[in-house]
């Protein structure tokens, strides 16, 4: 018999349906069993009572454990208090399998990260991870929607490549029939070729960087979306970056409200995409960073100092709050009130831990920002400090040539700078997009390839693009997981992809 899905319950109010899924959580009372069922489409409370299912089935239901799989039939009843607004009053059930000793608790914070990471194949079932993967799916769909409506052609670029485009230090080398080949760091060079055939294209594929860095924002295998547009300069490129990322975030706000709520995401911080994104040249950005130039009356260093003071004060207040609650519990209170206060104390402790982390970090960030030297690339903390004085994502453009890739176009009359652009997300999420206008001069490209000590023969085909009908063009790369991380408000990229591949992690 066909079954129904939790996401469709509203269409079946007061009717009988069959749901098939897994026990997310289960509570027992004398006469009722409350199963929180998950079926992939959502979560719903299902109430099994001894009166409606009969003794034998009720006995079976009593054995239910987390992640046991089953089919439940019953009546759909509106219940405002339930997530999703509906509850199933069960009149029949069929158990597929009982799971014993499921290793992940409903409250995952009780486990260390390692415990969860090692069980990623199971961790994916938990509510937060479910929400993140749904948002990832929405972002992927929004990307295709946007480009398809704007007349871009999707192309697949090769994964085995003979070229290093983004620096030679982080290449994965493989054996390609006896020849060395690299896993693609980017599809861009192929995108440039295809854009001379189709005008506007985008790649959407896996890319690889052998970065031996165990940071929350680096993966060894990540998905990149790289549009490339003929007859675009860097201004038009920035317009596209702005409209494109705004579209993605708004699409998530509109279609993933439930998922964002599960994640506790502060929606107002995402709504900043509806402001105009400030565009700041690198030389100005570093003055802002060092506190030498203000933005709307805000000084980056002073803002950090204020954040630090606020964190210190917050710790004192919250510590006092905890002490008062503990004293009140000790003095005696009703079970309900005690439970409430105990939960509140746990939440306060976690807020204090975050603030303590800020107190450790901010002084280092201030040091790094004040001493930032012209010509350096931004570190994570510099991006955090810089974006803090703006109210929207920020685009930094015209970068020093020596920190950027060989293909970026020189700024007119200023060969020390290139027309690159990075999009920095607010609140510490940092670089989401990197892009540029591309160098069109054959001579300059040859010089740059030599300067970067790249093998010329591997780039001959690329140089053909400049030999035959060369035109101004530009493009960028969006890191999918970086986007997911920002929208979801999660700390680490390993939660933004189903199975992360990163330094020190190949399993599961
Ligand atoms: O800035 P990147 O290195 O730029 C390029 O690869 C260009 N070829 C793009 C282009 O112009 N077509 O990388 C682009 C984006 C970064 O902004 C970041 O979001 C993401 O890819 N990224 C990573 N994401 C996860 N792990 C890593 N190790 C990443 N390296 C870059
Ligand atoms: Mg970059």
């Amino acid at each position: 018999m066909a079954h129904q899905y939790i996401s469709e319950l509203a269409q079946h109010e007061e009717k009988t349906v069959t749901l098939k899924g897994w026990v997310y959580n289960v509570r027992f009372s004398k006469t009722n069993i409350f199963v929180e069922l998950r079926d992939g489409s959502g979560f719903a409370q299902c109430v099994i009572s001894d009166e409606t299912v009969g003794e034998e089935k009720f006995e079976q239901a009593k054995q239910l454990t987390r992640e046991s799989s089953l089919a439940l039939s019953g009546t759909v009843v509106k219940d405002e208090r339930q997530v999703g607004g509906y509850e199933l009053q069960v009149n029949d059930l069929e158990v597929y399998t009982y799971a014993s000793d499921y290793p992940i608790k409903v409250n995952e914070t009780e486990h260390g990260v390692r415990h969860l990471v090692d069980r990623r194949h199971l961790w994916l079932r938990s509510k937060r991870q479910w929400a993140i993967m749904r948002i990832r799916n929405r972002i992927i769909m929004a990307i295709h929607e946007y480009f398809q409506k704007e007349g871009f052609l999707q192309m697949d670029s090769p994964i085995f490549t003979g070229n290093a485009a983004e620096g030679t230090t982080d290449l994965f080398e493989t054996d390609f029939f006896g020849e060395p080949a690299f896993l693609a760091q980017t599809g861009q060079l192929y995108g440039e070729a295809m854009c001379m055939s189709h005008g506007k294209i985008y790649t959407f594929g896996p890319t690889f960087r052998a970065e031996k860095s165990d940071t929350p924002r680096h993966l060894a295998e990540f998905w990149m979306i790289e549009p490339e547009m003929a007859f675009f300069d860097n201004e038009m490129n920035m317009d596209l970056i702005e409209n494109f990322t705004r579209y993605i975030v708004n699409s998530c706000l509109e279609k993933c409200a439930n998922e964002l709520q599960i994640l506790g995401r502060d929606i107002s911080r995402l709504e900043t995409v509806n402001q105009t994104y400030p565009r700041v040249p690198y030389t100005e950005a570093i003055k802002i960073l060092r506190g030498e130039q203000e933005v709307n009356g805000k000084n980056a260093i002073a803002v950090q100092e204020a954040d630090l003071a606020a964190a210190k004060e917050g710790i004192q207040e919250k510590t006092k709050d905890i002490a008062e609650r503990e004293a009140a519990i000790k003095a005696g209170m009703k079970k309900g009130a005690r439970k409430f206060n105990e939960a509140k104390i746990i939440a306060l402790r976690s807020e204090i831990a975050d603030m303590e982390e800020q107190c450790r970090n901010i002084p280092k960030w201030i040091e790094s920002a004040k001493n930032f030297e012209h010509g350096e690339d931004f570190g994570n903390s510099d991006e955090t400090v810089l974006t803090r004085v703006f109210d929207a994502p920020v685009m930094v453009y015209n970068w020093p040539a020596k920190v950027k890739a060989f293909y970026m176009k020189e700024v007119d009359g200023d060969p020390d700078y290139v027309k690159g652009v990075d999009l920095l997300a607010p609140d510490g999420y940092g670089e989401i997009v990197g892009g540029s206008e591309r160098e069109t001069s054959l001579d300059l490209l040859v010089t740059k390839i030599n300067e970067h000590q790249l093998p010329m023969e591997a780039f001959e085909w690329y140089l053909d693009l400049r030999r035959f009908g060369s035109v101004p063009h530009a493009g960028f790369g969006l890191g999918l997981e970086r986007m997911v991380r920002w929208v979801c408000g999660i700390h680490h990229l390993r939660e933004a992809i189903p199975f992360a591949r990163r330094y020190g992690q190949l399993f599961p």
Side-chain angles (χ1 to χ4, degrees), residues 166 186 188 209 211 219 224 226 431-434 438 479:
E166 301 295 332
T186 167
Q188 180 195 319
R209 308 252 169 122
E211 260 160 326
L219 294 171
M224 194 160 31
E226 294 183 274
E431 181 190 338
I432 301 286
V433 164
R438 317 307 188 188

Side-chain angles (χ1 to χ4, degrees), residues 10-29:
Q11 299 160 31
H12 301 287
E13 195 177 334
E14 296 302 328
K15 299 210 182 87
T16 300
V17 298
T18 299
L19 298 176
K20 295 184 174 181
W22 297 263
V23 175
Y24 190 67
N25 205 356
V26 57
R27 284 186 297 120
F28 303 92
S29 76

Side-chain angles (χ1 to χ4, degrees), residues 198-246:
H198 292 274
K200 295 194 282 188
I201 63 90
Y202 65 106
T203 69
F204 196 135
T207 43
F208 305 87
R209 308 252 169 122
E211 260 160 326
K212 283 195 177 168
S213 42
D214 179 11
T215 82
R217 53 189 219 147
H218 289 102
L219 294 171
E221 176 180 296
F222 62 99
W223 288 68
M224 194 160 31
I225 296 88
E226 294 183 274
E228 193 71 32
M229 301 75 65
F231 306 104
F232 264 52
D233 61 16
N234 210 29
E235 288 294 314
M236 296 163 81
N237 203 22
M238 287 194 265
D239 292 342
L240 182 67
I241 292 171
E242 183 169 340
N243 290 329
F244 169 63
T245 52
R246 178 176 295 143

